[in-house]
Amino acid sequence: MKSFNFFIAIAIVFLTIGCNNPSSPSADTVLLNGKVWTGESDTSFVEAIAIEGNKVIAIGTDADVKKLIGDSTRVIDLKNRLVTPGFNDAHIHFLSGSMILSSADLLSTTSLAEMKKVLLEYAQKNPGKPWITGRGWQYGFFAGGMPNKKHLDSLVPDRPVFIRAYDGHTGLANSKALELAGINRNTKYTGFGEIVKDANGEPTGAFLEGAQSLMSKVVPKATQQEQLDALRQGMKYAASLGITSMQNANGDVEEYDLYRTLHKNKELTMRFSMGFSVRDNTTEKDIADFISIKNEKGDPNWLKGHAIKFMVDGVIESHTAVMLDPYSDIPVDDRMQAKHWGIPLDRYRQLVAQLDKEGFQLYTHAIGDLGVRETLNAYEEAAKQNGARERRHRVEHIEQVQADDIPRFAKLGVLPSMQPIHADPGTVDVWSKAVGEERLPRSFAWKSLLNAGATLVYGADWPACISLNPMRGLHSAVNRRTTDGRPPNGWIPEQRISIADALKAYTVNSAYGSFDENTKGKLIPGFFADLVIHSQDLFTVPSMDIHKTQVLMTMVDGKQVFKDPSFKE
Ligand SMILES: [Zn+2]
């Protein structure tokens, strides 16, 4: 103990000398007079923070940090506002999301009438577009949960239209688009998904899962320049929401090259990691390409491709998620279990073992409880085969989970990667009917997973969600109510979590979820200065006001990447 005290004394002397010495390096930026949540624990708060270059160099009281102010230091008066580490969205499809920003953005629409209005306006504003594309409709807009081409035919009869559901798992084409794609009553599709047909055998215009590829191959593809422009626009939008890091949940080498180009041009304003999509038809050559990217030295603090993304099932709304027991709202049959594995299970298990051995982190989309179970089984088996290592494999979504499987996450070191916005009660009507009363308590079971010791990571799954805004995600995590308060007691309220746990899932834990816990996710000396200044204190505002929180400033790598005009330093 004595020598410990001695070291402390020496350290204090050095610190004092350092701070009083006029030649000591001063900070580039200091943020004073605030409430900085450092992310070290639920209650780790300091008043002030100092940044030099791209790193945090000091945290503490105003008095401590003021000592680091030099002639050219930018001093930001926080006026008691909250600062948190930047949001790290652990599950996003950033290119497709960014592309929506230049197509018909239906994500914010809440009814069929609204959807039609936005679509029509978009078509009128873009008379030169040969195709009308968009994304964001919800299953609940349509009687029976499934849309029909008739909703589009009267609206835009003369141009092809193809619009995807908010989750991306179902698409809707108008008659013109079906005609151009050559799809009629005789067209067959045998892969994962379905061309939905009516009782007379006519295509309804709806396409489930992989069958959407029949349409996407005739929709004109964006040029690389258009994609880069979309990503630039997307980064601006994400920065305005306080997002400083993203983990792409599926991608290919082409998409990775876009980020590489932006990185080379020093245009990245957030840090990216990539999970490359592996499907049944992925070739050994594709895998070799992923391995060579993973092994690149590169600049992993900005860009890395270290993960693989699988999909073992689909979504509950269209009955393509693989459930242990039959869906509650369709006749009991074995349709889903026989037909809707996203990838044949044997092939999946073999690929998991192979890619685990290569050292990849694995993400698997699994929404139904049987899908989740089989994913955990495959991870467990791969660990047995390939021996111990720090894997941090993840299951994405987990909308339904069996009680027996909940403790397996912590036990196997597997991370639940979930999206609180998917449990917004305004969007779960069709979902709930398919799941049925009895299974509801096991829906989006964040609290049960936390209680069982799992490291929960959060993202939005944009654009497969109603909003990219992390405040909407936090709101949903803490309240399980819509922003206008439905239902009054919360939807399955026992699965609500605290604001600190929700923030951790979006910062500290998501950094752990991409092996970056030693560089980001906390605001402590030596960590990257990726942070957000908030308009109000998320820890103390009434929980129903969380969603109203505005981002006033976002910094990445010590640089301002967004500032709200209302914020005066
Ligand atoms: Zn996704």
Side-chain angles (χ1 to χ4, degrees), residues 41 122 140 142 160 162 214 276 289 345 411 466 516 537 553:
S41 78
Y122 179 82
F142 308 98
F162 185 61
L214 299 173
F276 293 106
D289 288 345
L345 270 187
K411 192 171 152 244
I466 54 170
D516 293 312
D537 184 349
M553 188 187 285

Side-chain angles (χ1 to χ4, degrees), residues 534-552:
H534 301 267
S535 64
Q536 54 180 4
D537 184 349
L538 288 160
F539 289 88
T540 57
V541 288
S543 69
M544 282 303 293
D545 287 341
I546 288 173
H547 72 98
K548 295 178 188 158
T549 312
Q550 299 281 328
V551 168
L552 298 180

